[in-house]
Amino acid sequence: MPTIELQNVTKTFGKHVAVEGLSLTVPQGSVYGFIGPNGSGKTTTLRMIMNILYPDSGEITIFGEPLRPASCDRIGYMPEERGLYKRMKVREVLEFFGGLKNGDGIGAKVDRWLERLDLADWANKKVETLSKGMSQKVQFIATVVSQPELVLLDEPFTGLDPVNTDVIKDAILELQAQGTTVIFSTHDMSMAEKMCDYIFMIFKGVKVLDGTLAEIQDKYGTDTVRVKTGDGMSALQNLEGIERVNDFGQVQELRLAPEGNSQKILQEILKRTYVRSFEIVKPSLHDIFVRIAGPQAKEVERA
Amino acid sequence: MRKILRFALREYKAAVKTKGFIIGLLLAPLVMGGGLIAFLLLKDRVDTTDKRVAVVDRSGLVTRALVSAAEFRNANEILDKESGKKIRPAHFFEEVKPSTNDPKGQRLELSDRVRSGELHGFIEIGPQVVHPGKDPEAFQISYYAKNAAMDDLRGWAAWAINNRLRQVRLADAGVKESDVKDLFFWVSVDGLGLVSLDESTGAIAEGKRASPLEAILIPIVIMMLMLLMIMMSVPGMLHSVMEEKTQRIAEVLLGSIKPFEFMAAKLVGGIAVSLTSSAVYFVGGIIALQVMGYEDYVPLHVLPWFFAYMLLAIIMFGAWSAALGSTCNEAKDAQSLSFPTILPALFPMFIYFPVVKEPLGSFATWMSLVPPFTPLLMVLRLCTPGGVPAWQPFAGLLGVLLFTLFFVWAAGRIFRVAILMQGTPPKLANIVRWAIRG
């Protein structure tokens, strides 16, 4: 039984269509990544799943039942904009938020999570004394402390340093290992590639990608060459058969034109400089995202 | 319900555990009753500096009597009989010969002596003061001083002068004062409540003596107390909802509770805060009145109505306040909405005097049945000695209940839409649209 099923869900604000005809199935125990440019409809979709916003049409099924207010007690939700009572102590605020959903043994659960995320020493400090990273970890605990079966995280890694990013990432994977379904939205494509079982992309309110990373990449074929040369980007100017060059500094990604031939391109580069590595790969999620939502994107194509 | 109570408990603790609440609890009655307390404390404090007053007596009949009366007073009334301490100023009157050719110049000269501090003031008595004619200036008595309107000496001098005039008039009429000593005995009219029959004993109970304290002060104090209770919780809801919205706590909460539960929890928390404050004030007030011997004046029969109306008033105004708070995007919005939020609660303060003066009049009756004004005005009327017809508090309560349900329904619709709305200004048109469309 899927944890979430959205069927042809539409939500408008005035004349603006925020989400249009969205259908989505989230399997139980999966990590599902929501990607899309700002304002594309990710947060609106999450809010509809949380029953904070009501869809104009379509149906949302959670845990095999039509969405109803009581369903939210089984869902943990961390909005994009973090919000904690600044004048409350860390332990108090966690017990309060956790207790609103499931107050059973909340004190022990709070202690365990504070220990787990290295915040035990801050339990009796006021929230206003915490750094941004610590506040974000407290917000994460407030979301998961009631042991929800489904966790919705709206951009959980934004503003975190690499150490804290790893802490949150490990915690998410630990939740998944315990059977929790996790949905998170992110602008970090590499994190989505590495962590998500499934990736969903929404653009201008319309679903444009949905599936595993491999399925998504297969759709775009092997039209990408990742190359490292002695002269970097300067050796790749005006190559024939190339549609676009994405320069990462140490490495460049070349997207082949439909008529492009990778062997000819390799020969041309070798004429110009020496090649350290030359690899024919599937396009990265970052590249796919840019192809869909970048300035040169064509019309929105439904997935 | 569990969530509402849990959230309400947080709201309650957040409010009452602050120093601001405790200070407010102590200061609010001091501020509201400060004038009265200061008056009671300072009413016996008088300036005991001796006062010298010039008398320009154009009748030639009064000055000597005035001087004699002042001498008697100075000898007998300005010192405390037990301690011998001076408690009042001595009065000295100085006769000044009236100027016939330049009365204005004389007044200016005497005014300058007052300005220089040589005199406290001066009195000018008209020539026909004993038997007033048609010309008012001819029998006028004028008192000139720096603060003549509020000067106690003016009142004392008026008493002494009129005593003398009465003597002169009796003498002119050929009547001995000792023959008509009761002529000026003033008999006051006592105000009493209605006589009632005690049905259990058959005894007739005398009407209760009416006092200004009972007729005016107690009703106003009780009404002010309810206003204080409303003010201690309602404006706070506007700001706390605004803070929860702007600090993005609202969306986190909405992940756990429905918008209506959110608002309901705010109201329950606010009611709990007000009940705490009112319990403190009532217990404190009743103890204080018992110590002072005024316990009979506590209108205990009004207390159930007080709490019922207070409860509904906080729900009614609190829902309105929370709804307006949800429309705010920044502190500036909340500031500009603060007054409209409390205006319906404050309005009865503008009309309380005619209501307490004639609590059974048609104006008082109809205004106290207008739902937003009912809680304060009905309690005010209930506290007056005559009370109100028995049906009126019930009718008022029903009206307030229906109006409160409507308010909460409309506020809930506004709240649900506005709490997640960022950047949309809290204009009246938007608020009405959200209330209608939800």
Side-chain angles (χ1 to χ4, degrees):
Chain A
M1 180 185 68
T3 300
I4 302 174
E5 268 193 296
L6 275 72
Q7 289 179 338
N8 210 23
V9 169
T10 296
K11 177 69 187 174
T12 55
F13 296 108
K15 290 177 183 170
H16 173 67
V17 182
V19 174
E20 187 183 351
L22 175 62
S23 294
L24 190 71
T25 302
V26 178
Q28 196 267 324
S30 62
V31 173
Y32 224 107
F34 278 25
I35 61 172
N38 295 326
S40 59
K42 298 189 297 294
T43 299
T44 302
T45 305
L46 292 176
R47 284 176 174 177
M48 285 193 288
I49 294 170
M50 276 311 296
N51 210 23
I52 293 173
L53 294 177
Y54 307 143
D56 300 332
S57 61
E59 282 184 19
I60 299 176
T61 307
I62 305 275
F63 309 120
E65 297 174 348
L67 180 61
R68 54 198 173 90
S71 309
C72 296
D73 287 349
R74 299 163 69 187
I75 310 174
Y77 175 51
M78 185 166 95
E80 180 186 359
E81 303 279 359
R82 317 295 183 229
L84 295 167
Y85 289 103
K86 290 178 180 164
R87 287 186 283 275
M88 282 177 88
K89 290 177 181 170
V90 170
R91 186 194 301 282
E92 287 173 351
V93 84
L94 290 173
E95 288 179 352
F96 168 66
F97 281 118
L100 280 180
K101 287 186 186 290
N102 173 14
D104 298 338
I106 195 69
K109 290 175 192 168
V110 166
D111 286 342
R112 196 162 58 243
W113 272 107
L114 286 172
E115 199 70 44
R116 168 81 177 74
L117 297 195
D118 202 21
L119 285 169
D121 292 343
W122 295 83
N124 293 314
K125 299 272 184 1
K126 286 192 174 176
V127 170
E128 62 193 355
T129 64
L130 303 181
S131 69
K132 191 181 172 191
M134 284 194 281
S135 294
Q136 195 144 329
K137 286 199 288 186
V138 171
Q139 192 87 56
F140 179 81
I141 297 174
T143 308
V144 300
V145 72
S146 60
Q147 291 185 314
E149 296 159 60
L150 168 64
V151 173
L152 308 179
L153 306 168
D154 202 349
E155 303 194 19
F157 304 108
T158 305
L160 289 178
D161 63 37
V163 173
N164 282 323
T165 299
D166 279 353
V167 169
I168 298 295
K169 179 202 73 182
D170 292 345
I172 290 172
L173 295 176
E174 189 180 303
L175 289 170
Q176 186 194 18
Q178 291 165 1
T180 308
T181 307
V182 180
I183 293 176
F184 70 85
S185 71
T186 184
H187 290 302
D188 186 339
M189 298 300 114
S190 66
M191 192 63 86
E193 280 180 342
K194 287 178 212 158
M195 285 186 68
C196 297
D197 301 314
Y198 301 92
I199 293 162
F200 154 75
M201 180 171 173
I202 187 167
F203 179 51
K204 294 183 178 173
V206 173
K207 182 170 83 171
V208 289
L209 293 177
D210 187 17
T212 63
L213 179 64
E215 287 168 353
I216 291 168
Q217 287 176 322
D218 284 348
K219 187 180 163 192
Y220 285 84
T222 49
D223 66 349
T224 303
V225 171
R226 194 171 295 148
V227 62
K228 276 187 181 178
T229 68
D231 294 324
M233 186 65 191
S234 61
L236 306 175
Q237 303 291 337
N238 303 319
L239 279 174
E240 282 187 13
I242 298 296
E243 199 170 81
R244 186 169 181 273
V245 179
N246 197 2
D247 182 14
F248 292 99
Q250 300 300 314
V251 67
Q252 287 76 40
E253 274 187 7
L254 315 178
R255 190 194 306 164
L256 304 186
E259 71 283 2
N261 183 314
S262 57
Q263 297 308 311
K264 283 184 182 172
I265 290 167
L266 175 60
Q267 287 167 10
E268 181 59 30
I269 297 171
L270 283 167
K271 284 180 196 170
R272 299 182 184 186
T273 182
Y274 66 92
V275 175
R276 288 183 182 150
S277 73
F278 187 91
E279 188 184 4
I280 299 168
V281 295
K282 290 178 179 176
S284 66
L285 193 58
H286 178 103
D287 190 29
I288 293 170
F289 187 105
V290 174
R291 288 188 203 191
I292 296 170
Q296 290 153 354
K298 293 159 193 158
E299 283 190 11
V300 178
E301 193 178 317
R302 279 178 192 275
Chain B
M1 197 61 192
R2 178 187 63 83
K3 292 181 181 184
I4 293 175
L5 292 177
R6 195 170 190 109
F7 188 14
L9 182 65
R10 194 217 80 85
E11 292 295 298
Y12 177 73
K13 282 183 180 172
V16 301
K17 279 170 76 177
T18 58
K19 286 177 195 153
F21 176 80
I22 295 163
I23 293 169
L25 201 64
L26 297 173
L27 280 185
L30 288 179
V31 171
M32 295 184 105
L36 182 66
I37 292 166
F39 172 76
L40 292 173
L41 289 175
L42 300 175
K43 70 182 171 59
D44 293 331
R45 288 184 69 91
V46 290
D47 178 14
T48 56
T49 311
D50 293 345
K51 294 180 168 65
R52 178 170 292 278
V53 176
V55 183
V56 181
D57 183 2
R58 296 187 190 281
S59 71
L61 296 168
V62 176
T63 309
R64 187 171 295 175
L66 201 54
V67 170
S68 301
E71 284 170 355
F72 181 82
R73 179 183 174 278
N74 294 346
N76 297 289
E77 295 176 10
I78 65 169
L79 299 178
D80 184 85
K81 288 195 171 76
E82 287 179 11
S83 64
K85 193 178 165 190
K86 190 176 182 186
I87 53 171
R88 294 187 188 91
H91 295 165
F92 298 102
F93 289 91
E94 168 191 323
E95 186 169 13
V96 175
K97 195 179 172 193
S99 166
T100 48
N101 54 356
D102 186 15
K104 285 185 178 176
Q106 186 177 37
R107 285 178 203 133
L108 178 62
E109 186 191 331
L110 289 168
S111 295
D112 287 340
R113 288 178 66 193
V114 173
R115 285 189 193 95
S116 70
E118 188 187 338
L119 289 175
H120 177 74
F122 64 96
I123 297 171
E124 188 173 341
I125 299 167
Q128 295 174 16
V129 71
V130 178
H131 299 293
K134 287 184 179 174
D135 179 10
E137 279 191 19
F139 61 82
Q140 192 168 306
I141 305 171
S142 305
Y143 177 69
Y144 296 84
K146 284 178 182 169
N147 188 17
M150 300 297 290
D151 197 332
D152 288 344
L153 197 149
R154 181 169 66 97
W156 183 86
W159 168 81
I161 291 168
N162 277 285
N163 260 354
R164 172 60 183 155
L165 294 177
R166 195 173 62 214
Q167 288 172 345
V168 175
R169 285 167 189 158
L170 286 172
D172 287 354
V175 180
K176 281 186 184 173
E177 193 179 357
S178 56
D179 291 346
V180 288
K181 62 183 177 187
D182 296 340
L183 187 62
F184 299 102
F185 187 84
W186 183 262
V187 183
S188 61
V189 179
D190 267 4
L192 291 164
L194 297 178
V195 173
S196 59
L197 178 70
D198 187 334
E199 287 181 2
S200 58
T201 63
I204 294 173
E206 270 300 326
K208 204 173 159 191
R209 188 175 296 276
S211 76
L213 177 75
E214 196 179 7
I216 293 184
L217 198 59
I218 293 284
I220 290 173
V221 167
I222 298 284
M223 185 186 69
M224 294 289 278
L225 191 61
M226 186 187 279
L227 181 67
L228 185 65
M229 296 303 102
I230 294 169
M231 297 299 285
M232 283 188 94
S233 57
V234 169
M237 284 185 214
L238 175 88
H239 290 275
S240 84
V241 171
M242 183 274 297
E243 272 182 22
E244 274 159 346
K245 181 181 176 182
T246 55
Q247 292 176 13
R248 315 290 176 160
I249 300 166
E251 192 174 351
V252 181
L253 288 167
L254 290 174
S256 300
I257 57 174
K258 289 183 277 184
F260 194 80
E261 290 175 325
F262 189 146
M263 201 178 79
K266 288 271 167 201
L267 296 176
V268 174
I271 289 167
V273 170
S274 290
L275 286 177
T276 305
S277 313
S278 53
V280 170
Y281 288 143
F282 267 109
V283 172
I286 289 170
I287 291 172
L289 287 172
Q290 276 182 336
V291 169
M292 292 157 70
Y294 289 127
E295 65 268 29
D296 289 346
Y297 290 113
V298 181
L300 291 174
H301 66 286
V302 176
L303 290 191
W305 290 113
F306 178 92
F307 282 105
Y309 278 122
M310 186 185 81
L311 200 78
L312 288 175
I314 292 172
I315 295 173
M316 180 168 57
F317 298 128
W320 174 235
S321 181
L324 289 183
S326 72
T327 67
C328 298
N329 297 302
E330 52 187 344
K332 198 174 70 180
D333 294 339
Q335 276 170 0
S336 59
L337 286 177
S338 288
F339 186 65
T341 305
I342 58 166
L343 187 61
L346 281 179
F347 184 77
M349 298 305 299
F350 306 143
I351 57 169
Y352 82 87
F353 192 72
V355 172
V356 79
K357 197 161 167 257
E358 287 187 54
L360 296 172
S362 58
F363 176 75
T365 303
W366 287 113
M367 290 309 283
S368 68
L369 291 173
V370 176
F373 314 144
T374 300
L376 289 170
L377 292 182
M378 193 62 82
V379 164
L380 178 76
R381 294 178 63 220
L382 278 164
C383 289
T384 55
V388 298
W391 64 270
Q392 289 187 8
F394 290 100
L397 197 68
L398 182 67
V400 175
L401 187 65
L402 293 174
F403 200 74
T404 301
L405 289 174
F406 168 74
F407 244 57
V408 170
W409 171 82
R413 291 167 74 84
I414 295 167
F415 189 91
R416 190 175 73 78
V417 179
I419 194 74
L420 288 171
M421 194 82 74
Q422 298 290 343
T424 307
K427 288 181 184 169
L428 183 64
N430 288 337
I431 293 169
V432 171
R433 184 159 49 87
W434 294 332
I436 294 169
R437 291 187 191 168

